[in-house]
Structure formats: structure tokens, C-alpha cells
Amino acid sequence: MTDRIACINPNCRRTAAQEKHPGSTWIICGKCYRAMPDRFRARWKALNKRSRGLTRISEKTKTTTMAARRRQWLRIDRLYDRAWDRLVEAITHYFTASEQPVASRTS
């Protein structure tokens, strides 16, 4: 495993120390974060806020309640992971999509 992880933008050359972000496979640098459209930044903030809320709830919840609601927690986790995957895919597409419009055919 390398000691540096790359920015989510494939065209960006910035990296961060793995020790600062344990378990992460990518980061988003400040410059690329500011370059994203507002809708992506809003979604990013919303998912992070939801993550903090879910973490807080899971820490407060008793382990007996967690076992009884295991299926619900697994579903929430799966939905949350899918939301992050979709956002990461959209951001990556944004940074890699060509700026040139596709020429339309004229008959």
C-alpha cells in the first residue's frame, strides 16, 4: 500500500498522506472541491452530515436494539454506500468529461 492517496479528479496531481485518511482510497483536494458545481458540493455536505448523524445514532443505540434492527441498519448502510458511489461517479465524470460539445448531424 502506498503512503499517499490521490485526488478524486484524475487530472489533478495532488495527493494526501494515507495516515490522515485511514481506509480511504481517494481524497478531494480543496481546489477540485471548489471547482465542482454547487449541486455536487451540496450533495457532498448532505452525505457527510447524514454520516455524522448515523454514527451518532449508532453510538447511542444499545447493542440489543442494534441486533434486533440489524436488517434495517444493513439496508441503511447499503443505501448510503450506493449514494456515495453515485456521487463519486458523477464527480469523476464531471472532471473527465470533454468540454467539447458533440457535433450534431445535419441531414
Side-chain angles (χ1 to χ4, degrees):
M1 182 175 251
T2 64
D3 59 339
R4 307 292 292 175
I5 51 177
C7 180
I8 192 171
N9 179 356
N11 302 320
C12 180
R13 299 187 62 181
R14 290 175 185 81
T15 61
Q18 182 71 47
E19 300 88 46
K20 284 186 166 183
H21 309 279
S24 296
T25 56
W26 52 264
I27 53 107
I28 186 159
C29 69
K31 185 176 179 182
C32 292
Y33 183 81
R34 288 186 298 277
M36 286 191 310
D38 291 338
R39 68 181 187 277
F40 290 152
R41 286 198 307 260
R43 183 68 174 150
W44 185 278
K45 288 178 184 179
L47 286 175
N48 276 322
K49 182 179 179 181
R50 189 176 299 160
S51 175
R52 288 189 302 273
L54 290 173
T55 301
R56 201 168 35 250
I57 289 170
S58 69
E59 289 172 355
K60 284 182 178 180
T61 308
K62 296 179 183 177
T63 55
T64 56
T65 308
M66 289 286 285
R69 295 184 177 244
R70 181 169 168 72
R71 287 182 56 209
Q72 287 178 333
W73 279 107
L74 289 174
R75 184 166 190 267
I76 289 169
D77 186 50
R78 193 171 51 249
L79 291 171
Y80 184 71
D81 285 345
R82 282 189 209 151
W84 270 112
D85 291 342
R86 283 191 305 270
L87 179 62
V88 167
E89 184 179 322
I91 292 170
T92 304
H93 177 72
Y94 171 76
F95 284 121
T96 58
S98 173
E99 294 294 324
Q100 299 293 328
V102 177
S104 62
R105 288 186 173 172
T106 56
S107 297

